[in-house]
Amino acid sequence: MNEQTERLTELVRGAARIVVFTGAGISTESGIPDFRGPNGVWTKYNPADFTIDRFLASAESRRRYWKRAAESWETIRKARPNAGHLAVVELEQMGRLSAVVTQNVDGLHQVAGNSPEKVIELHGNTRRVACLACKHSVERETFQALVSPEGDAPACEQCGGLMKPATISFGQMLDPETLERASAETERCDLFLVVGSSLVVYPAAGYPLMAVQRGVPLALVNLQDTPHDTYATVVVRAYAGEALPGVVERARAGTPTPFPLAN
Ligand code: CNA
């Protein structure tokens, strides 16, 4: 264990209300590519093809969207949680996790075993498909099977509207209630732990800064530099799945019993 990992262990040991804030980096070890890492999605695709305007533009652009979506869905549905996700579950079992605030849409925190009510999904969840007009939603697994190989997707069975994976595309509004829940958890946490995020996508990247403004320690576990590194109490430059399990284990070993939370 290096010095930074030791410091992170101490912070976890001394915290009772941890917010774990995750990005695509926590899921790369499960085989889901991130956006901005060296093998990220943006090395192959143009972000402009992923905007809501592009989706709404024409039947042809929606066919292209669904053809690409079929590929990424295959990766996500087969992915299993990795040691990083499991370490976050262990934090919950220790009674120290207030919330997971995630930018991820893969649902792997819940698959790993975190309680669904602890997971705040800022950018939605791709395991469901929802109508853009009436919000009626169905399981992605069932819906994807109805999309033709050419990318023609069925309309909403309730109102005939356009169906799209229940994620926030670029240019789409984030859900105010979800943002509010993430703010409330950030306001009451005593450690803000970022795992696998480039911290360049806003408003999400504003939460760690909100914690810093309150004087709460900010810890980062990330392979690359981020714009928030200078505000962090600890920066661990490592694979999440390699660093986190040891940190959580050692924090647990050094603590007699979890103290009660004022939930
Ligand atoms: P990003 O911008 O792609 O950044 C990922 C960061 O994680 C990079 O700085 C990497 O260096 C770092 N990283 C990669 N692998 C690891 C690892 N194993 N351990 C530690 N660090 C690692 O992703 P962000 O989440 O910051 O960007 C926000 C976007 C990406 C959100 O809108 C997400 O919805 C979107 N996204 C989500 C997924 C998913 O759900 N798994 C996948 C790809 C993109």
Side-chain angles (χ1 to χ4, degrees):
M1 244 193 200
N2 65 25
E3 194 190 321
Q4 292 298 300
T5 324
E6 283 290 358
R7 288 185 73 197
L8 176 57
T9 305
E10 283 310 313
L11 286 176
V12 171
R13 194 174 282 146
R17 296 184 304 278
I18 304 173
V19 166
V20 177
F21 176 93
T22 61
I26 197 170
S27 295
T28 56
E29 291 164 80
S30 295
I32 303 174
D34 61 12
F35 276 172
R36 296 176 187 78
N39 301 313
V41 172
W42 296 158
T43 60
K44 299 186 198 87
Y45 292 107
N46 181 354
D49 288 336
F50 291 78
T51 63
I52 188 70
D53 288 348
R54 188 61 63 87
F55 184 84
L56 296 173
S58 66
E60 184 45 39
S61 62
R62 281 190 290 281
R63 276 194 283 273
R64 279 202 301 276
Y65 175 98
W66 278 108
K67 277 206 263 184
R68 272 195 309 267
E71 278 173 39
S72 59
W73 173 240
E74 260 321 286
T75 307
I76 288 179
R77 66 190 282 273
K78 283 198 237 131
R80 306 303 309 153
N82 65 59
H85 295 104
L86 296 176
V88 180
V89 175
E90 195 170 342
L91 280 180
E92 181 175 340
Q93 288 164 352
M94 286 160 69
R96 282 157 190 279
L97 181 80
S98 292
V100 180
V101 176
T102 188
Q103 299 166 91
N104 293 348
V105 297
D106 56 35
L108 284 181
H109 288 296
Q110 296 92 317
V111 177
N114 278 123
S115 316
E117 62 274 15
K118 291 255 182 210
V119 183
I120 302 174
E121 296 174 311
L122 296 174
H123 297 163
N125 189 317
T126 200
R127 291 173 191 264
R128 293 195 72 77
V129 178
C131 174
L132 289 177
C134 76
K135 311 271 187 263
H136 171 66
S137 81
V138 294
E139 285 285 334
R140 175 73 174 271
E141 185 73 14
T142 321
F143 189 87
Q144 192 71 52
L146 302 173
V147 177
S148 76
E150 294 74 36
D152 286 303
C156 173
E157 58 195 1
Q158 302 276 316
C159 77
L162 292 176
M163 299 293 282
K164 190 180 92 52
T167 59
I168 310 287
S169 296
F170 294 107
Q172 225 177 337
M173 276 265 294
L174 280 81
D175 174 42
E177 215 173 287
T178 306
L179 293 175
E180 186 44 45
R181 280 180 66 208
S183 295
E185 292 295 352
T186 305
E187 285 298 328
R188 61 192 286 278
C189 72
D190 59 5
L191 173 62
F192 197 97
L193 170 58
V194 175
V195 184
S197 176
S198 60
L199 296 175
V200 296
V201 175
Y202 280 83
Y207 290 107
L209 299 179
M210 209 185 278
V212 169
Q213 271 162 5
R214 286 184 47 232
V216 168
L218 170 66
L220 310 178
V221 178
N222 206 63
L223 286 176
Q224 293 171 298
D225 293 351
T226 81
H228 295 6
D229 287 8
T230 63
Y231 307 109
T233 306
V234 177
V235 179
V236 175
R237 194 67 72 227
Y239 284 93
E242 290 177 8
L244 281 183
V247 165
V248 174
E249 261 325 304
R250 285 166 69 107
R252 177 175 232 166
T255 328
T257 41
F259 27 93
L261 291 179
N263 271 327

